[in-house]
Amino acid sequence: MAGEIHNIRQGRSGSYPSEGSPRRLAAILAADISGYSRLMAIDEEGTHARVKRHRRELIEPTVAEHHGRIVKNTGDGFLAIFDSPVEAVRCAIVIQQSMVGRNAALPREQWILYRIGVNLGDVIVEPDDVYGDGVNIAARLEGIANPGDLYISGGVYEQIKHKLVCGYQSLGDRQVKNITEPISVYRVLPDPDAVIKARPTRGLAVAVVLCVSLIASLFTAATVWYLFVWQPRQLVAPLQPSPAQTPNAAKSTSAASQTATPTKPEAGPSAGARTTPQVAVVPPASRSALQPVIEPEMVTLPGGKFEMGSNDDASERPIHQVNVKPFAIGKFPVTVRQWNQCVAANACAYRPTGKDDAPVSNVSWTDTQQFTEWLSRVTQKKYRLPSEAEWEYEARGSKQTKYWWGDQLQSGMANCNGCNEAYDATQPLMVGSFKPNPFGLYDMGGGVDQWVADCWHKNYQAAPADGSAWMDADCSAHVIRSGSWKNDPSYVRPASRDRYDTNVRYPTHGFRVAYSL
Amino acid sequence: MDIRRIAVLAVMVMLLPVAAHAQGTPAGKDAYLYFVWPRDGLKVKSPFWCRFGLRNMGVTHAGDDFPNSGHHHLLIDVNKPLEPNDPIPQDKNHFHFGAGQTEAHIELQPGKHTLQLVLGDAKHYPFKPPVVSEKITITVK
């Protein structure tokens, strides 16, 4: 009865009106990958596969969405035309910001960074190419842009300056190759912090056009930092689980919980020294790295063999043995309080709502990568999402029953629609509201759906048996586990699995973190 | 918490974006959501390509707030009425196409199934009025 979806083709094909005259006014977007040859030299096949994937998943749908058309793909870039300069610049911003998320999980030398130039000009449009000065200027703008940056011409700036929520930094008039007149160049800054950062380093006349909402968000970010993080000498208490110890916890197995040190201020300047070329995720100097960080409370487990899967749903078959290596996993899902530290450090773009001790929700898989990357940086530990096998191993608590507490549904065990009386349709309960499982873990089932590292596979045919995350080339969807407070009890089963688009946020999706031992 | 912090907090709360909730995004005029394929009453082999049609509105990514656009949700064998003030549910009977997909490869058990499309706004809420397709019934061989 449950349907199964795979191999989804994305986006729309760009339909375009045929016109009488080939000449028309258009916004031209030119983009290329900085250091493409270097990337190809490091890993030819991998880079090629990633570039193709970005094109399919990100660039083509984004251009189509903004009513543009890709006229030409080059090996390391593309040329697109748009009717509207606003749409062209919006499209470029979406691409640049999405690339930040995609790069976040990778080591720096493997980052794919686009340089983008947008110009407005009267051009000659043919079905598979576009000609004219206007195109050349877009290409030159792209050529002088820094990796990860978006440069626009004065003509585009005049059209969009009052329409788009951005900062614009004037780089003055530039003489570019083979174009007689100098062209005025503006750098588009989607993030207000970047404007501040750009000012002293550039030493150029800066024209900053900031909308009220941007100022407000900067202010809010500063305030969040001030309220939640700037507590230099204050003891930062670990999260307190509310329920009393239960019989289950008391008779926990030899693999019982052993929590990691809850807080540790990180000193070393290296922690904050890493800079990123994309403005949106630059940590503000080393200041935030010196603050105490409320690390998630972790439970360490020795690992071992278990039977993964069940016969309750086609996606959970076949049942297969997996040998999980020792690792540590969050005792609770990541909370709003913990996430907000990452926001305050300017390393997480998503701003959550909800109480401090509520599990953070409405995060995409890509968002979680920003968090684990930031947490790893400030703690010098390799935080990551758990693999799907690790998650199920932990959720079962060494049981092969339908639920971790047995085969029958019991009230007061999990936060779901039909699990107990305390169901609130609008939001999840605070973390740790129910009994922990035999491994001492809370909320492994119900509450928020939890992202794991694995790409989605419709069943376990050919799944790895070593507990590692199952990745492959097309990762447009990732696995979610646990079911949410809005799902029925069948989703609370440790074997239950589902998936969701990697880059899309949904209100019931959260996560917990893990690291290998 | 000293008075300074309270003052700062108060100002922050005032500055919170007004558009925090997404309910009631107006639907496009004459928006029409339909199945290009399969047609109502059809017998199909599983898996099959299901194609979504939308007129007078645009398809965009979930999270993008462009006016007059949304993203598809496919409801399979769902009998509960749509809650206009809740996000469209996410489970094994509610498929989301937040990346802007306009078609999907669907695998279903043999037998009769109902399919229905619902367009969601940036935050997965139905539009006002809801943009939904006719609920079709297909038989999987």
Side-chain angles (χ1 to χ4, degrees), chain A residues 109-120:
Chain A
E109 64 273 11
Q110 290 178 23
W111 284 7
I112 291 180
L113 293 167
Y114 279 94
R115 300 181 295 180
I116 302 185
V118 178
N119 181 40
L120 184 65

Side-chain angles (χ1 to χ4, degrees), chain A residues 141 144 150-154 157-158 161 166-174 183-189 194-195 198-209:
Chain A
L141 286 169
I144 58 173
L150 164 59
Y151 282 17
I152 61 175
S153 63
Y157 171 74
E158 288 303 321
K161 62 183 178 185
C166 288
Y168 302 99
Q169 180 189 9
S170 169
L171 302 180
D173 287 351
R174 296 274 183 103
I183 51 172
S184 56
V185 180
Y186 292 82
R187 178 171 171 225
V188 179
L189 302 160
V195 178
R199 238 185 261 179
T201 53
R202 292 276 153 181
L204 291 163
V206 178
V208 178
V209 182

